[in-house]
Amino acid sequence: MITKTGSKIPRSWLCYSVILKKAYCESCWLFANKNNSSYRSEWISGIDDWQHLSYLITRHEKSLQHVEATTVRGTWVKNATIDKSIEQHISKEAEYWRNILRRIIKVILTLTAGNTALRGNEGKKGDYKPEELEGNFMRTIRLLADFDPLLHELLNDPTKHIKYLSWKVQNELINILSENLCNIICEEIINCSFFSIILDSTQDITKIDQVSVIIRYVIVDYETHTINIKESFLGFYALEQHGAMDYAQLIQDVLHKNNININNCRGQGYDGASVMSGQYSGVQKRINDIVPTASFVHCCAHNLNLVISDASKISPSMSRFFETVQNVFNFFSSSGPRWASLALGDNTASKIKKKVLKKVCSTRWESRHTAVFALKERFIDVIKCLTVISLTSSKKDERDMIRIFH
């Protein structure tokens, strides 16, 4: 706009609408605060009083509405919104905690990869210092804090009341990592189309039966022309009832939960118990009724182990032999001095470390071979120790046990 004196005054806010044939203020049209008491709509709906336009423009430029709208527009043009500083603070804070969680997750993965317990004696009562009750997780965090500025700040800043180091956060992160890993495994199984089920159960320390579910599948790499056979563990599942129907229902529930189609099952692997391998109402028959192509295969190594173990029980002399091997182990292992005297029977220290007496396991034939082999290697030492004990011991039970061996 050119004044009477010839000076030019830039008014970028002043616009003209060809359709309405009116002049209007673009800044007020876009950014005026309609809730303000000084709000006026004439420069938003348009001005067509051309005779007094200069006066109206000058008056509008001095109005509070226009000044505030222009200020907001200038801030918006610079991409510096009113909440930008708050957004920057939030982003910085989010990045800080993201880095903290990365370190916490790395510590959890490192400890759990080595089967190391995360927590120690936090709930223990007594006169203990706080550091004496800390578990492996917190000890590792404090160790890293000596070298990592972020963790050092987290532990030593009194203003940070939230630290994400509690046992609840640890458990939550473990569950998230577990679910993520399980999803990756299941996606791999789904892409392979066909799979086999391997199922077995065992009791935990609280005597609750837990069923382990394993999926066996084949990955074909068409680029390198290689085949990779995998067996992936999906988890432990508690089972209150132990009927064939309960096991079969558990298999269906686990597969359905992980979006794995049971119709793609091509094999089943269980132990020889009738509830599992029964051909009329066992688990393998119930699954086979759903998927006729899911053939049941009993582990050949397990079958061979059962045959050899049962065959050894038929022969009385064989049974007595293994009872003697087990009694020799029990005799020495039940007493520290007797075990120490057997260790001193051989001057070759390296040989002592490699060959010690082993117990006989009733269910695994391989353990019997190990026990017999160990007794064979240490036979001379065992005879010497038994002879010395029989001549020097004043304990009647020791002398009676040695007479049984003879």
Side-chain angles (χ1 to χ4, degrees):
M1 182 176 180
I2 302 176
T3 63
K4 295 179 179 180
T5 59
S7 59
K8 293 182 180 180
I9 301 177
R11 289 189 172 96
S12 57
W13 57 267
L14 186 58
C15 296
Y16 177 75
S17 173
V18 178
I19 298 175
L20 298 177
K21 297 180 180 181
K22 292 181 180 181
Y24 67 96
C25 176
E26 187 179 46
S27 298
C28 292
W29 179 59
L30 292 173
F31 299 102
N33 184 5
K34 296 182 179 181
N35 297 323
N36 197 310
S37 58
S38 61
Y39 175 77
R40 297 293 182 269
S41 63
E42 58 266 22
W43 276 98
I44 297 174
S45 58
I47 295 291
D48 56 1
D49 187 359
W50 308 113
Q51 184 177 0
H52 303 96
L53 184 61
S54 298
Y55 168 74
L56 295 174
I57 290 175
T58 304
R59 188 180 67 175
H60 179 67
E61 283 184 324
K62 296 177 182 179
S63 66
L64 181 61
Q65 172 182 307
H66 179 77
V67 172
E68 291 180 349
T70 304
T71 303
V72 174
R73 182 176 186 177
T75 304
W76 177 79
V77 169
K78 294 178 182 178
N79 196 25
T81 59
I82 298 175
D83 297 333
K84 185 177 182 180
S85 60
I86 300 176
E87 291 178 358
Q88 289 176 343
H89 176 74
I90 293 174
S91 299
K92 185 178 179 181
E93 191 76 8
E95 183 62 24
Y96 172 81
W97 288 113
R98 194 176 292 114
N99 289 327
I100 290 294
L101 287 175
R102 285 196 187 100
R103 286 157 174 77
I104 293 175
I105 290 172
K106 284 292 184 181
V107 171
I108 291 176
L109 290 175
T110 301
L111 293 176
T112 53
N115 291 327
T116 304
L118 270 67
R119 294 180 289 279
N121 302 314
E122 288 90 341
K124 199 172 183 180
K125 297 181 179 179
D127 298 329
Y128 297 95
K129 297 179 181 179
E131 58 270 15
E132 293 176 344
L133 299 177
E134 289 182 345
N136 297 313
F137 174 79
M138 280 306 303
R139 290 194 182 99
T140 307
I141 291 292
R142 294 191 184 280
L143 173 62
L144 292 177
D146 291 339
F147 307 95
D148 188 280
L150 283 177
L151 289 177
H152 181 79
E153 178 187 352
L154 178 70
L155 295 180
N156 296 283
D157 189 349
T159 63
K160 295 188 182 300
H161 303 292
I162 299 175
K163 300 182 184 295
Y164 294 107
L165 298 175
S166 68
W167 63 269
K168 290 183 179 180
V169 174
Q170 296 172 35
N171 287 346
E172 185 176 355
L173 289 174
I174 291 173
N175 290 333
I176 293 173
L177 293 171
S178 173
E179 290 177 4
N180 185 59
L181 178 59
C182 188
N183 291 335
I184 293 173
I185 292 174
C186 292
E187 187 67 27
E188 196 174 57
I189 295 171
I190 294 171
N191 292 335
C192 292
S193 297
F194 304 118
F195 61 90
S196 297
I197 304 171
I198 301 175
L199 204 72
D200 200 3
S201 63
T202 185
Q203 287 185 341
D204 61 9
I205 58 175
T206 60
K207 304 302 180 184
I208 297 178
D209 245 5
Q210 289 189 331
V211 182
S212 60
V213 179
I214 296 174
I215 303 296
R216 182 182 174 93
Y217 53 99
V218 179
I219 296 178
V220 180
D221 192 335
Y222 294 98
E223 293 183 359
T224 59
H225 303 287
T226 57
I227 295 177
N228 187 16
I229 300 175
K230 285 191 174 184
E231 290 183 357
S232 295
F233 172 72
L234 293 186
F236 285 115
Y237 299 89
L239 196 65
E240 296 181 358
Q241 303 296 328
H242 304 91
M245 180 178 64
D246 302 302
Y247 281 101
Q249 187 62 47
L250 175 66
I251 292 174
Q252 296 179 66
D253 293 342
V254 171
L255 295 179
H256 177 73
K257 175 185 175 182
N258 294 287
N259 297 320
I260 300 174
N261 190 352
I262 192 173
N263 292 316
N264 293 329
C265 180
R266 292 296 179 269
Q268 305 177 69
Y270 317 124
D271 57 26
S274 58
V275 69
M276 304 300 295
S277 60
Q279 60 179 337
Y280 298 110
S281 61
V283 176
Q284 67 99 357
K285 180 63 171 63
R286 293 174 182 271
I287 297 298
N288 197 252
D289 290 340
I290 301 173
V291 190
T293 54
S295 303
F296 168 68
V297 178
H298 191 181
C299 175
C300 296
H302 189 202
N303 269 333
L304 179 61
N305 182 79
L306 293 174
V307 170
I308 297 176
S309 297
D310 292 342
S312 66
K313 296 176 183 177
I314 295 176
S315 172
S317 58
M318 184 72 74
S319 297
R320 287 194 298 271
F321 171 75
F322 284 110
E323 287 177 4
T324 303
V325 174
Q326 181 62 30
N327 288 334
V328 170
F329 173 81
N330 292 338
F331 178 74
F332 283 100
S333 64
S334 61
S335 170
R338 290 197 293 265
W339 190 266
S341 66
L342 179 61
L344 295 174
D346 194 333
N347 294 325
T348 307
S350 60
K351 188 175 182 180
I352 294 174
K353 292 180 180 179
K354 293 180 180 179
K355 304 298 179 186
V356 295
L357 298 183
K358 306 288 185 181
K359 68 177 181 178
V360 177
C361 179
S362 59
T363 58
R364 291 176 174 83
W365 180 261
E366 179 63 25
S367 70
R368 304 189 185 200
H369 170 269
T370 305
V372 173
F373 184 72
L375 181 59
K376 177 185 175 183
E377 289 292 314
R378 303 300 304 282
F379 184 73
I380 301 300
D381 296 328
V382 169
I383 295 299
K384 289 180 180 180
C385 288
L386 292 175
T387 303
V388 171
I389 293 172
S390 64
L391 295 175
T392 60
S393 177
S394 59
K395 298 179 180 179
K396 183 176 180 300
D397 58 337
E398 287 187 341
R399 295 196 302 271
D400 292 342
M401 183 62 70
I402 293 173
R403 292 193 189 97
I404 294 175
F405 293 153
H406 290 303

